[in-house]
């Protein structure tokens, strides 16, 4: 398909877009009285308009029913979180019983490592990607120390080849085979937050399991963005946050996935609490823990209803639209953004470089060679919300739920003016 860098062509693409009405389901911030061009859905998704009602309903039930809301609210609180499992399972390619919602992402990764990182003197190493998201690095280092290992000899990073911006799948597989019998765990960001690369999660999972390691995925940038088949890939576990592509609000609840082979088992190490024990007997307040037969066994505390209410609202939107329609639009709008970037690059004779490889979701990371922070500031002042990553990268994520093709065209014009004005 050949695109055109004109307003009328962008508007034509919008007219053909089967998801175009969903733009109106979201609140857009304004700059200079105009709705922004929002490229940071990979960091904090926009607020769906329907979310407020879900939160208000809980507030009203709390006001009117108080403690009785646990059982008599329209959506009773004691099993409110169970409503999220089915739609969320579809988003991540899991069985509903393999999915639960609780806590926040880094907390959940720590909790899952209690079950899936059980190092021995011989098998203790962890493979992750070079320059993993800082929170993941801190988590892995502190877990290694907690078990009495030196992080420097425990954590093995898979590096990019010199001068390249993306990883090669074979480099992960080679490293896994090299560490072999010493490898306890592979834990990697499935979609890299910096360069937007989608890793071959299926191949890496298979390789890790073949040498007897456990394999887990941090899907902060994967969930709601790319096709996931956690169950079919036989990943051991995964966790993700809900506030990026899942549009569930700042710092909101995380989701977890645990493969069905680990469900309904008492022999796994796990940090436990009353919300993970069988609900039939939970309120008998017995001393003995009976794990729920699904991933809810990892729940510790009673669920934070006010924060999972927005997650439920968002999942309703995902359920309505479906991942395949989102991915179809994602491919097209990201290709159009790439086209616009190349057009502007040629027009201004500037030199920026898209460092995202072709294995990608909706994010394009752009390395600004000559340009820098001043251009980024110009974009922000002119209603383009993007983000800056040191040393010289802006990340552009046209979330397919609410970004339009016209946004991409207008962005190109602002980018061009920004470069030419300096
Ligand atoms: C966003 C993100 C996080 C954030 O972790 P929180 O515990 O939710 O603060 C962690 N890891 C990755 C890879 C991320 O992209």
């Amino acid at each position: 398909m050949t695109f055109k860098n004109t307003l009328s062509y962008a508007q034509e693409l919008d007219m053909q877009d089967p998801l175009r009405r969903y733009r109106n389901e979201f609140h857009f911030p304004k700059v200079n009285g105009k709705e922004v061009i929002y490229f940071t859905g990979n960091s904090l998704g926009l607020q769906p308009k329907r979310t407020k009602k879900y939160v208000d309903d809980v507030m009203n039930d709390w006001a009117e029913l108080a403690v009785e809301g646990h059982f008599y609210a329209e959506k009773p609180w004691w099993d409110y979180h169970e409503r999220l499992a089915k739609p969320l399972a579809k988003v991540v390619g899991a069985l509903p019983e393999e999915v639960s919602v609780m806590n926040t992402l880094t907390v959940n990764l720590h909790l899952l490592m209690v079950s899936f990182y059980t190092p021995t003197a011989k098998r203790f190493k962890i493979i992750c990607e070079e320059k993993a998201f800082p929170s993941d690095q801190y988590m892995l280092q502190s877990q290694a120390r907690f078990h009495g290992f030196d992080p420097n000899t425990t954590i093995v990073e898979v590096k990019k080849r010199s001068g390249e911006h993306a990883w090669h799948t074979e480099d992960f597989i080679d490293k896994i085979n090299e560490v072999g019998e010493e490898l306890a765990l592979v834990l990697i960001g499935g979609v890299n937050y910096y360069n937007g690369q989608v890793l071959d999660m299926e191949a890496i999972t298979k390789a890790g399991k073949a040498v007897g390691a456990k394999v887990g995925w941090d899907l902060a940038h994967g969930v709601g963005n790319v096709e996931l088949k956690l169950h079919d890939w036989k990943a051991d576990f995964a966790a993700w946050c809900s506030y990026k592509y899942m549009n569930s609000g700042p710092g909101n609840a995380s989701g977890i996935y645990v493969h069905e082979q680990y469900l309904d088992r008492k022999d796994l190490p796990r940090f436990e609490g009353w919300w993970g024990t069988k609900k039939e007997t939970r309120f008998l307040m017995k001393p003995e823990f009976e794990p729920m037969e699904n991933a809810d066994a990892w729940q510790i505390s009673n669920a934070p209803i006010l924060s999972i209410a927005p997650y439920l609202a968002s999942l309703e939107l995902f359920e309505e639209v479906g991942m395949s329609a989102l991915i179809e639009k994602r491919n097209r709008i990201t290709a159009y953004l790439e086209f616009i970037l190349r057009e502007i690059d040629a027009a201004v004779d500037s030199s920026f470089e898209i460092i995202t490889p072709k294995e990608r979701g909706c994010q394009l990371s752009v390395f600004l060679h000559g340009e820098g922070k001043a251009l980024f500031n110009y974009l922000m002042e002119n209603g383009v919300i993007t983000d800056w990553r040191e040393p010289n990268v802006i990340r552009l994520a046209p979330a397919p739920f609410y970004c339009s093709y016209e946004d991409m065209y207008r962005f190109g014009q602002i980018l061009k003016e920004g470069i030419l004005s300096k």
Side-chain angles (χ1 to χ4, degrees):
M1 135 168 293
T2 45
F3 292 124
K4 289 184 212 145
N5 182 22
T6 64
L7 178 61
S8 61
Y9 180 77
Q11 286 171 338
E12 199 182 304
L13 289 180
D14 281 324
M15 285 304 293
Q16 296 164 2
D17 173 11
L19 302 190
R20 72 181 178 281
R21 75 178 182 85
Y22 283 94
R23 183 179 176 85
N24 193 39
E25 288 272 351
F26 291 85
H27 290 290
F28 278 75
K30 288 186 177 156
V31 169
N32 307 327
K34 257 175 99 176
E35 282 187 356
V36 298
I37 300 167
Y38 197 71
F39 280 126
T40 41
N42 57 350
S43 185
L44 183 76
L46 293 181
Q47 183 186 131
K49 290 178 181 168
R50 66 179 70 180
T51 299
K52 192 164 188 305
K53 178 176 186 312
Y54 282 67
V55 176
D56 285 348
D57 284 350
V58 178
M59 293 297 281
N60 292 338
D61 286 337
W62 178 22
E64 287 161 19
L65 300 168
V67 73
E68 298 276 79
H70 281 298
F71 297 101
Y72 301 110
E74 193 200 319
K75 298 186 182 88
W77 305 331
W78 80 289
D79 61 358
Y80 191 105
H81 60 282
E82 291 182 3
R83 295 163 191 269
L84 286 82
K86 218 167 147 189
L88 189 52
K90 278 198 211 162
V91 174
V92 298
L95 307 173
E97 56 269 32
E98 291 173 324
V99 164
S100 189
V101 168
M102 58 197 219
N103 311 310
T104 45
L105 173 55
T106 312
V107 171
N108 282 340
L109 288 170
H110 273 297
L111 292 174
L112 288 163
M113 283 185 78
V114 169
S115 301
F116 297 104
Y117 180 57
T118 52
T120 62
K122 191 155 177 286
R123 191 186 276 282
F124 63 97
K125 291 192 177 170
I126 302 170
I127 283 184
C128 67
E129 74 279 37
E130 172 187 29
K131 295 206 178 104
F133 191 85
S135 195
D136 297 31
Q137 294 187 47
Y138 309 147
M139 170 198 59
L140 295 178
Q141 290 163 15
S142 61
Q143 284 279 340
R145 284 195 305 271
F146 174 74
H147 287 283
F149 293 94
D150 175 359
N152 293 314
T153 50
T154 300
I155 300 167
V156 179
E157 294 186 347
V158 176
K159 302 200 185 320
K160 294 176 204 149
R161 297 182 190 177
S162 147
E164 295 190 12
H165 294 300
W167 286 269
H168 292 251
T169 303
E170 67 202 79
D171 291 350
F172 282 99
I173 293 175
D174 288 349
K175 189 60 83 182
I176 285 168
N177 290 331
E178 184 189 315
V179 180
E181 290 187 350
E182 290 185 337
L183 186 61
L185 176 69
V186 177
L187 181 45
I188 302 174
V191 178
N192 186 259
Y193 80 98
Y194 187 80
N195 71 357
Q197 181 177 6
V198 183
L199 296 179
D200 188 339
M201 291 176 257
E202 182 172 17
I204 295 170
T205 302
K206 199 168 162 209
K209 299 196 60 127
V211 300
K214 296 285 194 297
V215 181
W217 294 98
D218 178 336
L219 296 174
H221 283 262
V223 66
N225 178 26
V226 303
E227 185 178 42
L228 299 168
K229 293 184 171 177
L230 290 172
H231 177 81
D232 290 349
W233 297 338
K234 301 193 177 66
D236 293 299
F237 69 97
W240 53 88
C241 50
S242 62
Y243 48 83
K244 294 175 178 170
Y245 295 104
M246 296 302 296
N247 311 318
S248 300
N252 211 346
S254 157
I256 67 158
Y257 150 90
V258 177
H259 189 270
E260 82 178 320
Q261 69 187 288
Y262 304 110
L263 303 181
D264 208 10
R265 278 175 50 177
K266 278 181 156 182
D267 59 321
L268 285 180
R270 180 170 47 213
F271 286 171
E272 296 171 339
W274 72 323
W275 236 246
T277 196
K278 283 210 164 38
K279 58 181 181 177
E280 294 76 16
T281 52
R282 183 177 302 153
F283 295 99
L284 301 180
M285 303 302 198
K286 296 191 308 181
E288 194 199 347
F289 181 85
E290 294 277 353
M292 288 281 294
E293 58 287 346
N294 54 26
D296 290 345
W298 275 263
Q299 294 252 355
I300 296 179
S301 297
N302 76 97
I305 306 303
L306 280 169
S307 60
I308 59 179
Y311 204 173
L312 185 59
S314 159
L315 282 168
E316 193 183 279
L317 281 163
F318 275 85
E319 183 76 359
E320 235 173 82
V321 172
M323 278 311 293
S324 58
L326 280 168
I327 286 171
E328 210 166 292
K329 173 165 177 195
R330 178 204 74 191
N331 288 341
R332 204 164 187 213
I333 197 166
T334 309
Y336 189 54
L337 172 61
E338 182 180 5
F339 164 81
I340 295 282
L341 282 166
R342 296 204 191 285
E343 287 277 300
I344 303 304
D345 194 30
V348 297
D349 199 24
S350 164
S351 62
F352 45 81
E353 185 185 350
I354 299 172
I355 62 169
T356 304
K358 64 180 193 312
E359 303 82 20
R360 68 189 186 195
C362 81
Q363 175 181 325
L364 293 181
S365 301
V366 182
F367 196 93
L368 305 169
H369 283 295
E371 320 294 338
K373 237 358 195 315
L375 177 61
F376 169 76
N377 290 336
Y378 182 90
L379 293 175
M380 295 292 281
E381 282 156 18
N382 286 279
V384 178
I385 309 297
T386 169
D387 73 7
W388 175 266
R389 284 289 177 272
E390 295 296 337
N392 231 13
V393 166
I394 57 171
R395 302 186 303 169
L396 306 168
F401 242 128
Y402 45 73
C403 289
S404 69
Y405 294 90
E406 184 175 336
D407 286 342
M408 303 305 111
Y409 168 77
R410 282 177 47 218
F411 161 68
Q413 297 304 301
I414 296 168
L415 178 67
K416 190 163 136 193
E417 287 157 20
I419 294 171
L420 293 178
S421 71
K422 283 189 286 95

